[in-house]
Amino acid sequence: MKLFVGLGNPGQKYARNRHNIGFMALERIAEDHGFGPWKSKFQAEIAEGRLGGQKVLLVKPQTFMNRSGQSVGEAMRFYKLDSTDVTVFHDELDLAPGKVRVKAGGGHAGHNGLRSIHEHISPAYDRVRLGIGHPGRKEMVSPYVLSDFAKADADWLDSVLRGVSDGAHYLADDESGKFMNAVALRTAPPRSSKQSGKPESPPKTSAEAASVPDERSAMQKLLDKFR
């Protein structure tokens, strides 16, 4: 069994925040893959289903971001799982918007949700880092992540969520390379043969056309004149 954990803050006030992209990813997976209804357990909203060859429990902690580890630890102990059975989906400031990376273990880089999970289950868990970009200055980070995605973000955000959902069964089967390929097909689809071919030349302007030498014979010019 696998635990897929999405990080975010509970309540409609935070639902479209950049900090809640982890919740959004799990909600898309649940919808696309026919998971059961969301229920309250382990201080979280949970949904059960299958991805690939694995039974998967989706977990959205309702403890607020900085205490996410309490919920994750409780669910992990209940099912007698190891931290390596846990994959956490979270927002990532150090990746450009629309970029996705998979990482096994490592530090928390100051992310309060990851910090809490470190404390409760150890750093030995997998992460899906969902890029949201950085506001530029450290003092702007908190208001930035707690603000809603802009309208201009809608297209790339939808592509990321669809890609994550497309590849979720690979992730459950520990095939991170295939997962990343599935994401890339949504976020950076290959160009068609028409797009990759030589671009067509633009039509000549009247000035350019006038500069082309007239190669008609004298007789042809005379005939064209009286048409």
Side-chain angles (χ1 to χ4, degrees):
M1 183 179 185
K2 300 283 187 178
L3 292 188
F4 278 10
V5 178
L7 296 187
N9 288 308
Q12 284 303 309
K13 175 182 177 181
Y14 303 101
R16 298 299 298 172
N17 282 186
R18 293 180 178 90
H19 223 15
N20 274 42
I21 193 172
F23 276 12
M24 296 175 198
L26 261 59
E27 288 161 2
R28 179 59 61 87
I29 291 171
E31 181 180 349
D32 290 351
H33 295 275
F35 274 63
W38 292 97
K39 299 181 291 188
S40 295
K41 194 173 184 179
F42 311 126
Q43 304 178 69
E45 288 186 0
I46 64 170
E48 298 181 17
R50 296 195 71 86
L51 292 170
Q54 294 285 344
K55 182 178 180 181
V56 176
L57 185 73
L58 304 181
V59 180
K60 296 190 298 178
Q62 300 295 294
T63 53
F64 285 94
M65 185 69 78
N66 61 359
R67 292 190 290 130
S68 299
Q70 294 178 11
S71 171
V72 179
E74 191 176 331
M76 195 179 81
R77 288 188 295 272
F78 180 86
Y79 290 104
K80 297 180 172 59
L81 300 175
D82 188 79
S83 63
T84 56
D85 297 314
V86 177
T87 299
V88 177
F89 297 73
H90 66 91
D91 57 303
E92 178 58 73
L93 288 163
D94 293 333
L95 287 177
K99 297 295 183 182
V100 178
R101 296 289 183 271
V102 178
K103 181 180 180 181
H108 55 67
H111 191 293
N112 288 334
L114 299 183
R115 189 198 308 272
S116 177
I117 293 173
H118 272 50
E119 293 170 355
H120 284 84
I121 73 169
S122 90
Y125 57 90
D126 292 341
R127 306 97 189 272
V128 176
R129 304 163 65 213
L130 304 168
I132 61 168
H134 197 287
R137 298 202 306 270
K138 186 176 180 180
E139 63 271 21
M140 294 174 64
V141 166
S142 183
Y144 176 75
V145 299
L146 293 175
S147 294
D148 288 357
F149 282 106
K151 289 182 179 179
D153 296 325
D155 287 345
W156 71 255
L157 178 60
D158 183 64
S159 295
V160 164
L161 298 178
R162 288 179 183 276
V164 166
S165 179
D166 290 347
H169 61 289
Y170 292 126
L171 201 62
D173 285 336
D174 298 318
E175 296 185 281
S176 59
K178 290 182 178 179
F179 167 77
M180 287 301 301
N181 286 341
V183 173
L185 286 173
R186 288 286 189 178
T187 59
R191 292 182 177 182
S192 69
S193 57
K194 289 182 179 179
Q195 290 175 308
S196 59
K198 186 177 179 180
E200 293 182 6
S201 299
K204 288 184 172 65
T205 64
S206 57
E208 290 172 325
S211 67
V212 177
D214 190 346
E215 297 178 350
R216 293 174 299 168
S217 67
M219 180 61 73
Q220 186 64 51
K221 290 179 182 177
L222 185 61
L223 289 172
D224 289 346
K225 183 176 181 182
F226 290 99
R227 280 182 178 175

